[in-house]
Amino acid sequence: MADELMDFEEAVRRYDPVIGLEVHVELGTATKMFDAAPNVFGAQPNTMVTPTSVGLPGALPVVNAKGVEYAVRIGLALGCEIAESCRFARKNYFYPDLSKDFQTSQSDEPIAFDGALEVELGDGTLFTVPIERAHMEEDAGKNTHVGGADGRIEGASHSLVDYNRAGVPLVEIVSRPVVGAGARAPEVAATYVRTLRDIFRALGVSEARMERGNVRADVNVSLRESPEAPFGTRTETKNVNTFKGIEAVVRYEVCRQAAILASGGQVLQETRHGQADGTTRPGRVKSDADDYRYFPEPDLVPVAPSREWVEEIRASLPELPAAKRRRLKAEWGLADDEMRDVVNAGALDLIEATVAAGTTGQAARKWWMGELARHAKDQEVSLEELAVTPAQVAQLQGLVDSGRLTDKLARQVLEGVLAGEGDPAAVVEARGLEVVSDDSALLAAVDEALAANPDVAEKIRGGKVQAAGAIVGAVMKATKGQADAKRVRELVMGRVGA
């Protein structure tokens, strides 16, 4: 039965939404968090495992030092304090994808805590999300449900378990309750996760590919009657791995919970599952921390990062995305709204790479946000999926700058590049698209056009210089658009003595 929903605008007028995000990022280490099994995506099921991966009796874990380093890097980038000593714990529960009956995680002693992340919304508004903690843990394996619709457990006849992912290192970033977002709560949630994704990539700690589940979010939503009221009962929608999905989950839960509260009902504290259509469906009654019976992991010693090592890591941090955007905006001479458009289109890295290949920021932006954006929209793909590289775009602009191509010819050359005909220079040669720069050839075309239009020549001599446009147009047509219109106009005016 479909959930009763309240209109979103009405819901946020009557209730104050509070959100919380638990974002998991798989770390890009060579091996797993507690054993030497390779950390590889896409291998044949159950081939990237050791006895420790599947929790066989007598198999003992060893902490991955690189995983600890990556966790510290993430914590520092989020403005967190780094613990002088912290421990792993056993989080006890049974699922078939965790065959040892517990997950090795961190409970009351996370490696990083008390941070904050400022995010920039679509209109430039800045919003700060407080961060409670970032802690280390291991991922679970993957269940594949056979026989159900779209691989879901509903209607499945049986399930298969792949333990390749079991033990892959994770860092979980847990926000504090995010208040004050109001009607923008869905946008804040999605932008926060997008900002984290960009930071992970900048730090080099993860490929952060959402479609592979490298980054996924548990989305908590609750409603209260006013900003002064106590927090309401929350739901937690698990493992959402698209930005649109995160936004849709927050919006749907606000509408669903508002309808329940308005009718006098009570929201059930539970986990839920996001659906492809933007709705959520019930999972299980939500467990509290006490239900997991955390206790210190007896097989692992405490982790105690030295202050010197932490400061070395801090000094090695790269430029973070927000600072990078501010710098590039100034270097490229873009207005605030132009830079937001670039970021929202996912074109920032492409433009930066194009500039590095030898052109200006404005020229690179012109191509990626103009002609290439149009092609991407027509093909229903992202900019980075187009069959053109930043180096090719820079080469194309170089041909324009050198006078070998006009903008109109360059667009034809770009179509050839996108069609797989080679680099811009090769397309120019193969299609014969280079600008006609031989004055003798242009003069011949000018003379022919003037002879065919003697009245136009007389008008020009009589002071109506705008009439030269007809001759220029005729020459451009005769040269198939390969003439420089400015040079043609100069030759026309010289020919008629104007």
Side-chain angles (χ1 to χ4, degrees):
M1 185 175 66
D3 293 319
E4 292 290 331
L5 302 176
M6 181 181 290
D7 177 74
F8 181 76
E9 284 69 26
E10 175 69 10
V12 295
R13 186 184 67 80
R14 295 182 59 175
Y15 300 100
D16 180 41
V18 179
I19 57 175
L21 287 304
E22 301 168 21
V23 179
H24 301 76
V25 54
E26 290 183 345
L27 304 181
T29 55
T31 57
K32 294 183 180 180
M33 192 64 201
F34 302 112
D35 67 277
N39 180 10
V40 177
F41 178 83
Q44 288 295 311
N46 297 311
T47 58
M48 300 291 121
V49 296
T50 68
T52 303
S53 302
V54 293
L56 294 183
L60 295 176
V62 177
V63 174
N64 185 329
K66 183 61 73 171
V68 176
E69 177 190 333
Y70 284 0
V72 172
R73 289 173 73 84
I74 291 171
L76 291 173
L78 300 179
C80 293
E81 297 290 327
I82 305 301
E84 294 190 8
S85 179
C86 59
R87 292 186 298 180
F88 286 98
R90 292 188 179 185
K91 182 180 181 181
N92 295 276
Y93 63 94
F94 175 76
Y95 282 108
D97 53 9
L98 264 177
S99 59
K100 59 186 180 180
D101 294 353
F102 64 87
Q103 179 188 35
T104 305
S105 181
Q106 290 187 303
S107 175
D108 56 342
E109 297 185 36
I111 192 166
F113 54 92
D114 289 346
L117 181 61
E118 186 177 71
V119 301
E120 182 176 350
L121 305 182
D123 62 357
T125 300
L126 299 177
F127 193 98
T128 299
V129 176
I131 294 172
E132 177 183 314
R133 57 190 280 152
H135 64 262
M136 300 177 288
E137 61 186 22
E138 61 180 338
D139 211 343
K142 180 180 179 181
N143 293 322
T144 299
H145 307 296
V146 181
D150 299 322
R152 299 184 181 277
I153 194 169
E154 293 84 3
S157 59
H158 61 286
S159 298
L160 303 174
V161 185
D162 177 10
Y163 288 108
N164 282 348
R165 198 175 65 186
V168 166
L170 288 177
V171 167
E172 179 178 351
I173 297 98
V174 181
S175 78
R176 297 189 187 280
V178 180
V179 300
R184 305 193 75 171
E187 182 186 3
V188 168
T191 305
Y192 169 69
V193 179
R194 181 183 288 108
T195 304
L196 284 176
R197 189 277 308 269
D198 293 345
I199 288 173
F200 301 147
R201 288 181 173 177
L203 294 174
V205 300
S206 174
E207 290 185 347
R209 294 178 60 173
M210 304 280 284
E211 76 278 8
R212 289 186 173 182
N214 294 154
V215 179
R216 50 193 190 268
D218 297 340
V219 183
N220 293 267
V221 180
S222 68
L223 298 179
R224 55 184 177 175
E225 292 186 353
S226 72
E228 294 75 33
F231 292 146
T233 301
R234 65 187 172 92
T235 62
E236 180 183 11
T237 304
K238 305 289 287 185
N239 294 325
V240 188
N241 69 338
T242 68
F243 303 128
K244 287 184 178 179
I246 292 166
E247 195 162 347
V249 162
V250 176
R251 179 175 288 270
Y252 185 84
E253 279 299 294
V254 167
C255 297
R256 187 186 69 85
Q257 293 182 27
I260 293 173
L261 295 175
S263 66
Q266 291 186 328
V267 175
L268 178 65
Q269 183 172 323
E270 62 182 350
T271 63
R272 296 180 70 86
H273 302 290
Q275 309 296 302
D277 61 1
T279 64
T280 67
R281 292 290 179 267
R284 58 179 173 82
V285 175
K286 174 61 180 171
S287 300
D288 290 320
D290 291 345
D291 298 320
Y292 292 119
R293 305 186 317 283
Y294 283 100
F295 66 86
E297 167 57 74
D299 293 330
L300 291 171
V301 298
V303 174
S306 72
R307 296 303 91 183
E308 293 78 13
W309 187 53
V310 170
E311 291 309 312
E312 286 178 10
I313 295 174
R314 190 192 305 275
S316 72
L317 292 179
E319 183 180 34
L320 295 179
K324 178 180 178 179
R325 286 194 295 271
R326 289 192 293 269
R327 174 177 60 81
L328 293 178
K329 173 178 167 291
E331 289 180 0
W332 297 345
L334 301 184
D336 290 345
D337 57 345
E338 290 176 329
M339 193 61 172
R340 282 197 295 273
D341 289 344
V342 165
V343 172
N344 292 337
L348 185 68
D349 291 342
L350 294 167
I351 293 175
E352 184 184 21
T354 305
V355 172
T359 190
T360 66
Q362 287 285 6
R365 174 185 170 276
K366 175 192 71 175
W367 287 110
W368 286 107
M369 297 299 292
E371 196 69 15
L372 287 167
R374 183 180 65 79
H375 279 280
K377 183 178 180 180
D378 290 345
Q379 298 176 34
E380 297 184 344
V381 298
S382 66
L383 285 172
E384 59 188 10
E385 291 177 290
L386 290 173
V388 63
T389 66
Q392 289 172 327
V393 175
Q395 185 185 127
L396 182 67
Q397 183 60 39
L399 292 172
V400 174
D401 294 340
S402 68
R404 293 181 61 189
L405 292 177
T406 63
D407 279 349
K408 182 177 180 181
L409 290 173
R411 288 193 290 272
Q412 295 180 49
V413 172
L414 181 59
E415 290 178 357
V417 174
L418 291 168
E421 297 174 20
D423 286 339
V427 175
V428 168
E429 182 175 354
R431 293 193 178 191
L433 292 174
E434 192 164 353
V435 166
V436 177
S437 56
D438 180 1
D439 276 2
S440 61
L442 292 177
L443 280 170
V446 168
D447 290 341
E448 184 176 342
L450 287 170
N453 300 276
D455 57 324
V456 175
E458 287 303 318
K459 289 179 181 178
I460 298 172
R461 291 189 185 98
K464 295 182 178 180
V465 295
Q466 66 270 23
I471 303 300
V472 173
V475 173
M476 295 301 292
K477 183 177 181 181
T479 59
K480 298 180 180 179
Q482 292 178 237
D484 182 337
K486 181 180 178 181
R487 181 56 181 158
V488 171
R489 179 176 289 274
E490 292 172 352
L491 294 173
V492 170
M493 301 307 286
R495 254 333 188 222
V496 299

